[in-house]
Amino acid sequence: MSEVIWGLATSHVPSIGAAMDHGKTQDPYWKPLFDGYQPARDWMAEHTPDVAIVVYNDHANGVDLEVVPTFAIGTADHYQVADEGWGPRPVPDVVGDPELSQHLVESLVDDGFDLTLFQDLDVDHGLTVPLSIYCPDPGEAWPCRVVPLLVNVIQYPQPTAARCYALGKAIGRALASYEPDVKVAIFGTGGMSHQLAGARAGFVNPEFDAMYLEAIQTDPERLAGLSREELIRMAGSEGIELIMWLIMRGAMNDEIRRVHETYHVPASNTAAALALFDNRVQ
Amino acid sequence: MTTHDLPGTPIFDGGASRRGLHMNQLFMSLRSAANRERFTADEVAYCDDYRLTPEQRRAVLERDWQAMVDLGGSIFYIYKLAMMDGRSMQYLGGVFSGMTEDEFRAALIAGGRTDV
Ligand SMILES: [Fe+2]
């Protein structure tokens, strides 16, 4: 039987990847963030999954505005790293898990979540930066297979927080019925508070972020009750991508253990955070 | 209050996406080096190829970043043009909030704009 072993909530800011790609992680600007990652990285390196489900959004790289799927899943055996305009990141391409993707599609559609399928997809920083946060030195290949799960957080109306949490629960049920004996990690990416455009550009809300970081473990129902308007007001127009953390949370057990967390302002225009949860609490 | 009434917070909704589709497609095309070369060689012709409205064309040619947002540009797409010009997201943040790039960067390093 498959089992979710851990969940990682993390920002996916492109400059975090660029700092790694250009050897700047020890610069004073970046050092606090990367120092904050280290205990989580050490723990994850000792708890290697077979496959990671990475919940993320594309940013005008693998997907454009001709088709805007609210929820989508990659079903390929291979995903190329996207060229976002300055050449692809120097990280390995991503190996998929079409068998697990197909199982998730069948189970989720039967469960009322009619996902769009990507049989061909270039993955951008939304997916590769979280992988680099998990595994900074992958060498020739990432340490696990990956199933991309995409959420429209760019064009209003984004799915509700409640719907994201329900999708996570459905993913948890789907994994519980997956026969192969695989260890699964689930990534909820994006956030924390930030806003890129408008007079409120540069907005950061540390009180909201602290509440969200705590409640994602202890009171996800409260977060699932936040409206789109509340999220945009309190987390910024781009901070709404925090709804993706609820998909991760929904796929995990009611009781989870916080292994590590870190919070730092800024990563470019964004409040950045990581929270790692062990799903195997007895 | 609805999402659309939040002061200082543009919402990229279906209407904006429809108005901005061609302009956003132009920005998306700039991911390829060959298209960046074509754009640089003749920006006017390139805008015409993508059937921009006169207002969108002016905004792109004059690098009026705020107008691009107002005319249906998504910030993630607009950023592709900014990158071509060697502009950072902090520069754009400064433009939108009435600061220089250095002031905007400093405001973020100081903990972000918590009072807006
Ligand atoms: Fe994002």
Side-chain angles (χ1 to χ4, degrees), chain A residues 14-15 29 86 196-197 201 268-269, chain B residues 65 75 78-96 99-106 108:
Chain A
S15 58
Y29 183 95
W86 58 87
L196 299 176
S268 305
N269 302 26
Chain B
W65 306 102
I75 186 62
I78 293 170
Y79 183 51
K80 305 284 184 206
L81 177 62
M83 279 194 305
M84 266 198 67
D85 290 354
R87 298 298 196 183
S88 69
M89 200 60 105
Q90 286 81 40
Y91 169 80
L92 292 181
V95 169
F96 298 134
M99 286 187 241
T100 67
E101 179 172 5
D102 283 347
E103 286 165 351
F104 186 86
R105 199 182 296 272
L108 265 292

Side-chain angles (χ1 to χ4, degrees), chain A residues 12 57 59 125-126 153 190 194 241 244, chain B residues 76:
Chain A
H12 62 215
N57 69 286
H59 309 75
H125 66 262
V153 294
H194 67 298
E241 63 187 10
M244 295 188 287
Chain B
F76 296 106

